[in-house]
Amino acid sequence: MKTEPEECSIDDFANSPKSTIMWDGVRNYQARNFMRQMQVGDTVLIYHSSCKDIGIAGIVDVTQSAFDDPAQFDPNSDYYDPKSTVDTPRWSAIRLSFSKKFQQILSLQDIKANSLMPESPLTQKGSRLSVMPVTDEEFSAVVSYIRKKIC
DNA sequence: GCCAACGTTGGC
DNA sequence: GCCAACGTTGGC
């Protein structure tokens, strides 16, 4: 899952390890559909975008599967969607909790240079998908690369 | 700040 | 249903 760290970063999770953070505001159907597939206990890579240190910053866990994103009903929210009603909601949110923060960001450069996620939309030009699946293979590649790099 | 790539909107 | 125009994303 992508996030701008100024809005929500891995540190926001790390600083409140026992609480959960609601992941709301996703307003793209493809991303939403991927969120709806996520189950409690699933592992999520957190990617910092549009910032100085671009890349994967750590790991969080799903603590609640998809529910109606309350922001879509709130006229005062940036994420308000006038076309959503309680009867016909469009958007979903999930809840996440802290798992791990990488000791250093696994940069997009490194991800590309070492082909850690060659098939992923993440490494493909022009992809704007903010929630995307990660294969077991990609996850293993990411974790073993960051271990090696830190040691 | 630039700009390519993308998704959405809305007139027809 | 098409597609031009528009707004947004996000790396550089």
Side-chain angles (χ1 to χ4, degrees):
Chain A
M1 299 182 102
K2 291 182 188 170
T3 177
E4 297 186 15
E6 282 172 16
E7 193 173 350
C8 179
S9 76
I10 193 69
D11 287 322
D12 294 321
F13 286 98
N15 293 338
S16 57
K18 287 179 181 167
S19 55
T20 64
I21 291 179
M22 180 170 65
W23 204 267
D24 61 358
V26 171
R27 293 294 178 267
N28 169 283
Y29 287 104
Q30 211 184 342
R32 180 202 69 180
N33 293 343
F34 285 131
M35 272 210 303
R36 288 182 175 176
Q37 291 176 19
M38 295 163 77
Q39 300 294 322
V40 173
D42 282 356
T43 304
V44 176
L45 297 172
I46 293 295
Y47 176 90
H48 288 176
S49 67
S50 297
C51 60
K52 187 159 163 288
D53 283 325
I54 297 165
I56 300 174
I59 298 173
V60 299
D61 295 318
V62 177
T63 59
Q64 186 181 352
S65 58
F67 54 93
D68 291 348
D69 179 350
Q72 68 192 310
F73 308 126
D74 177 4
N76 297 316
S77 169
D78 287 345
Y79 303 125
Y80 177 59
D81 184 345
K83 290 175 183 163
S84 279
T85 66
V86 177
D87 289 333
T88 58
R90 293 184 156 194
W91 306 112
S92 298
I94 60 172
R95 281 197 169 272
L96 301 168
S97 69
F98 180 68
S99 176
K100 290 185 180 63
K101 177 184 174 181
F102 294 164
Q103 283 176 257
Q104 53 181 271
I105 300 269
L106 173 51
S107 70
L108 181 61
Q109 265 188 331
D110 270 359
I111 295 166
K112 285 179 176 168
N114 296 283
S115 291
L116 303 181
M117 307 178 83
E119 306 291 320
S120 175
L122 189 68
T123 55
Q124 279 156 30
K125 191 180 172 189
S127 171
R128 294 161 40 176
L129 196 55
S130 65
V131 180
M132 68 195 84
V134 177
T135 65
D136 289 344
E137 192 185 8
E138 289 167 340
F139 185 80
S140 301
V142 163
V143 169
S144 59
Y145 183 85
I146 195 77
R147 280 213 192 100
K148 223 187 307 174
K149 182 147 190 176
I150 286 166
C151 294

